[in-house]
Amino acid sequence: MSESSALPPSPVAAILLAGGQGTRAGFAQPKQLESLGGKPVLRWSLDALAADRRVSVGVLVASHDVAAAAGFLPKGWIATDPGAERQQSVANALAALSDWPDEALILVHDAARPGLGAAVIDRLLAALDSADAVIPVLPVPDTLIEAEGAQAGDVVPRDRLARVQTPQAFRLGVLRRAHTEAAGSAATDDAQLVRSLGVAVATVEGDARLHKLTYAEDMAILSGLLGVRDMMRAAVGMGYDVHRLVEGKPLWIGGIKIEHSHGLEGHSDADVGLHALTDAILGALGDGDIGDHFPPSDPQWRGAASHRFLAFAGERVAANGGRIGHLDLTIVAEAPRIGPHRVAIRNRIAEILAIPAGRVSVKATTTERLGFTGRREGIAAQAVATIQLPEI
Ligand code: MG
């Protein structure tokens, strides 16, 4: 075998399976397109395989829509249509690699496992030096039992069991033969097809980060395993607003109605505090300002309750895959005194945005009787919003 080390390494191709619709997971779109740390789930595996210098060619098996939504294909990659079953999808990819030699190595990976790292690829390719098929496996940590309806049955010995992950690695010729001879069966696993030829399948240590995305709650597990929280960027926006005080109008500040001789004048309810907050959030999103989304010229916003504007801004944060980190609002008023209402305003803002009150700060100041606020002609508000957004 010492001579083999002098031979050039076998070329390596990859098949990335992203054909499933993921409907059982309860996602609104195919699960391989769910955003994980700001990029589609399937993009994680695509980028990891493309970044591996040994992998020179790849086939993405995905519908046209899914492939388009995943973004550009890396150099050396092509896309092909999925089949009705997983086995047919692999067969389609093998057909796309028909000019590759049997001696080449092939990695077959499931896009629903985004946590692909170089170390597991290293172990798989190293094991192919002395095997024609290799799969990554992990031990079973939980006690397993036979289920007899709603009753617990006997314990199944764990030491004889292992959890199978992907990528699975093969000599290309062996995988081709397995698919040719098993055409028409519905294997869920390429290694089982290869075993049915009588070819031994070796195992290497898998990787906990190769956790499979099956259910919606797996997104939180994957976020933790892959550390995507670290990949959020902080965006800060500021908002400023002023409204004129007039006699005999209701006074709304920060979503709270405050008893006072004067109220604020404006097209909506003129809640100066919520307007400043709305603009701060839109500013952090780079999404225009309150007037762009709720034009004063539009009669439907006449007298509107401003909590709708703030709730809209909060929905825009969520729609961008972000979350509100912190809000800091300062009310500038000579009268009435805002201090006694600060806690109520803080709680109301948290309620409108459905965030913990601990992420909201409300402060108040006067201007020492100077300027328009000091002369009680109007009330001003300033706000700063800190938003966590996915890294672009
Ligand atoms: Mg305003």
Side-chain angles (χ1 to χ4, degrees):
M1 292 300 287
S2 61
E3 286 177 18
S4 67
S5 61
L7 293 172
S10 299
V12 182
I15 295 172
L16 181 59
L17 297 167
Q21 291 303 308
T23 44
R24 73 175 157 155
F27 298 112
Q29 58 184 344
K31 64 183 179 182
Q32 59 271 34
L33 293 181
E34 284 292 310
S35 176
L36 180 64
K39 63 180 180 180
V41 164
L42 93 82
R43 190 80 216 176
W44 283 78
S45 297
L46 193 57
D47 289 346
L49 289 165
D52 195 303
R53 296 181 66 173
R54 293 161 297 189
V55 178
S56 51
V57 163
V59 182
L60 172 65
V61 186
S63 69
H64 182 78
D65 288 352
V66 167
F72 68 94
L73 281 175
K75 185 166 173 283
W77 280 73
I78 57 168
T80 193
D81 289 329
E85 302 292 338
R86 182 184 193 282
Q87 192 178 331
Q88 186 58 47
S89 290
V90 176
N92 291 356
L94 288 173
L97 294 168
S98 59
D99 57 345
W100 268 53
D102 279 347
E103 300 72 42
L105 309 181
I106 182 91
L107 297 165
V108 181
H109 186 50
D110 184 346
R113 298 181 188 271
L116 178 57
V120 75
I121 297 176
D122 288 346
R123 291 196 284 275
L124 289 163
L125 295 181
L128 280 181
D129 281 348
S130 54
D132 288 330
V134 190
I135 59 175
V137 297
L138 285 180
V140 177
D142 297 318
T143 295
L144 295 179
I145 58 166
E146 291 174 358
E148 298 174 355
Q151 302 289 315
D154 289 342
V155 168
V156 180
R158 276 180 295 175
D159 52 0
R160 301 192 59 234
L161 300 175
R163 293 183 288 151
V164 177
Q165 300 182 313
T166 73
Q168 302 189 346
F170 306 92
R171 252 328 132 182
L172 182 54
V174 169
L175 186 61
R176 271 187 184 134
R177 192 155 59 88
H179 274 265
T180 303
E181 296 193 10
S185 74
T188 56
D189 182 67
D190 295 289
Q192 291 308 316
L193 283 184
V194 167
R195 277 191 80 234
S196 70
L197 298 178
V199 174
V201 176
T203 63
V204 295
E205 184 190 355
D207 185 343
R209 292 186 308 160
L210 282 166
H211 182 81
K212 187 177 183 181
L213 171 58
T214 306
Y215 303 105
E217 52 266 37
D218 289 320
M219 291 298 290
I221 295 170
L222 286 164
S223 294
L225 287 170
L226 304 183
V228 299
R229 280 275 161 82
D230 300 340
M231 300 174 65
M232 302 290 265
R233 66 192 168 96
V236 176
M238 78 153 288
Y240 177 72
D241 196 29
V242 170
H243 282 268
R244 182 187 299 275
L245 277 167
V246 294
E247 204 167 351
K249 286 202 76 171
L251 176 62
W252 286 90
I253 296 183
I256 296 292
K257 192 176 180 187
I258 298 175
E259 286 306 317
H260 191 51
S261 60
H262 290 60
L264 292 172
E265 185 177 57
H267 192 72
S268 64
D269 66 7
D271 189 324
V272 68
L274 296 193
H275 292 187
L277 277 172
T278 302
D279 263 355
I281 294 171
L282 293 174
L285 292 172
D287 193 9
D289 65 24
I290 193 169
D292 293 335
H293 297 282
F294 305 98
S297 56
D298 188 336
Q300 70 170 308
W301 307 122
R302 183 187 303 278
S306 296
H307 64 78
R308 294 170 62 184
F309 307 153
L310 183 60
F312 168 84
E315 287 160 14
R316 297 293 300 159
V317 173
N320 280 276
R323 64 181 201 125
I324 294 170
H326 191 74
L327 301 174
D328 187 19
L329 173 65
T330 301
I331 308 292
V332 185
E334 199 68 37
R337 288 190 59 227
I338 303 299
H341 305 286
R342 278 171 52 181
V343 172
I345 292 172
R346 182 191 203 195
N347 290 338
R348 178 65 182 132
I349 291 166
E351 179 184 45
I352 293 166
L353 292 165
I355 60 175
R359 294 195 200 162
V360 181
S361 157
V362 176
K363 314 195 299 296
T365 188
T366 70
T367 48
E368 300 282 333
R369 298 184 199 158
L370 297 169
F372 71 86
T373 50
R375 293 189 298 270
R376 307 185 182 200
E377 293 166 5
I379 292 178
Q382 292 182 339
V384 174
T386 306
I387 311 290
Q388 269 99 41
L389 289 171
E391 197 58 75
I392 300 168

